[in-house]
Amino acid sequence: PLYSSAASDVYKRQPSLMKIDVEQMELHVLQGGRQLISSCRPIIYAENNKQESSAPLISIISELDYVPYWHVTPCYNDANYKDTHVDISEGWMDVNIICIPSERLDMLHPQPMKMVGFIRIDVDRPYLHQYYSEDQVSTAGIPISSYQN
């Protein structure tokens, strides 16, 4: 059986960070966790690798008064824990967003717009291809046609 509960029922303490990677259910987690997120204001790190869920995800993050940034990383790292030097991911990239509560942007000292490895997302441009070239997106293993509006 599948059980569901509100995020505020799961957390006994106030979280300072939420990592959300629930296979295309990230929007549902954010919707169900609105009360907890609004009261605790944690940093949120969430998967955002599907075009069809990107705009709604960015929209709810904006409604919650967070500033989202793209975080695109390779699925394979040569310096991995098992010291495996075969890239079975074929160069694919993992697409996530890190979301900072607007009142905590000063923690990104000294320049919030220039976090290394992150690109600030404009709520009116919620798709990956609006920030990376077609070659960069297709090289990341994400077919450009599946990540456009």
Side-chain angles (χ1 to χ4, degrees), residues 29-116:
V29 171
L30 291 172
Q31 290 168 333
R34 274 183 185 269
Q35 183 178 357
L36 177 75
I37 293 167
S38 294
S39 65
C40 298
R41 307 298 287 159
I43 293 170
I44 299 171
Y45 189 80
E47 185 177 53
N48 186 15
N49 62 0
K50 297 290 183 198
Q51 179 264 341
E52 59 272 9
S53 58
S54 188
L57 195 59
I58 301 300
S59 178
I60 194 169
I61 289 294
S62 177
E63 288 170 20
L64 290 165
D65 197 26
Y66 275 72
V67 178
Y69 293 82
W70 287 114
H71 187 225
V72 181
T73 59
C75 291
Y76 172 75
N77 180 343
D78 194 50
N80 61 70
Y81 173 75
K82 295 218 176 202
D83 200 30
T84 303
H85 300 287
V86 177
D87 180 2
I88 62 171
S89 72
E90 301 177 347
W92 280 56
M93 303 295 267
D94 195 21
V95 181
N96 297 285
I97 54 175
I98 188 165
C99 310
I100 311 296
S102 61
E103 71 276 7
R104 293 174 64 191
L105 283 176
D106 60 343
M107 70 181 265
L108 304 176
H109 182 75
Q111 297 179 2
M113 291 298 289
K114 298 196 178 191
M115 287 193 332
V116 175

Side-chain angles (χ1 to χ4, degrees), residues 128-130 132-144 147:
L128 187 64
H129 76 277
Q130 295 169 314
Y132 293 91
S133 71
E134 182 173 340
D135 288 342
Q136 288 172 309
V137 174
S138 60
T139 300
I142 304 163
I144 191 75
Y147 215 98

